Amino acid sequence: MAIFLKNVTFHGILLDALFEENSTMWQEVSSLLKAGIREGVVQPLKRTVFPRTQVEDAFRYMAQGKHIGKVVIQVREEER
């Protein structure tokens, strides 16, 4: 929680509502998100990746509650 003492703000968007039929806001949010990524304002969460052979280690790591961001199990190599 020390990050909040550094004048950092977090904003969440409930994207489910944007995918509903007749949503006109999706184009606006999409363009804002793309611009934010391009300008470096929007940054992805940190992640820790475990190979599929270390599922138990990943679970133990997550269960400790000390991780920040996502804990990911890599099932296969990423396709190009």
Side-chain angles (χ1 to χ4, degrees), residues 11 13 29 32-45:
H11 299 277
I13 300 173
V29 170
L32 289 171
L33 183 59
K34 288 176 186 176
I37 291 171
R38 233 184 353 264
E39 296 167 9
V41 176
V42 176
Q43 299 176 0
L45 288 175

Side-chain angles (χ1 to χ4, degrees), residues 49-69:
V49 181
F50 287 86
R52 67 177 179 219
T53 57
Q54 295 181 352
V55 173
E56 185 176 342
D57 293 336
F59 181 78
R60 291 182 189 279
Y61 177 74
M62 188 177 66
Q64 290 176 355
K66 297 179 183 176
H67 65 284
I68 295 176

Side-chain angles (χ1 to χ4, degrees), residues 3-72:
I3 192 90
F4 291 107
L5 299 175
K6 297 179 182 179
N7 291 328
V8 174
T9 59
F10 295 87
H11 299 277
I13 300 173
L14 182 58
L15 294 176
D16 291 355
L18 296 176
F19 290 110
E20 292 177 359
E21 284 188 47
N22 303 323
S23 174
T24 58
M25 294 174 48
W26 172 243
Q27 291 297 330
E28 182 181 353
V29 170
S30 178
S31 64
L32 289 171
L33 183 59
K34 288 176 186 176
I37 291 171
R38 233 184 353 264
E39 296 167 9
V41 176
V42 176
Q43 299 176 0
L45 288 175
K46 294 180 182 179
R47 80 246 182 252
T48 305
V49 181
F50 287 86
R52 67 177 179 219
T53 57
Q54 295 181 352
V55 173
E56 185 176 342
D57 293 336
F59 181 78
R60 291 182 189 279
Y61 177 74
M62 188 177 66
Q64 290 176 355
K66 297 179 183 176
H67 65 284
I68 295 176
K70 301 293 181 181
V71 178
V72 178

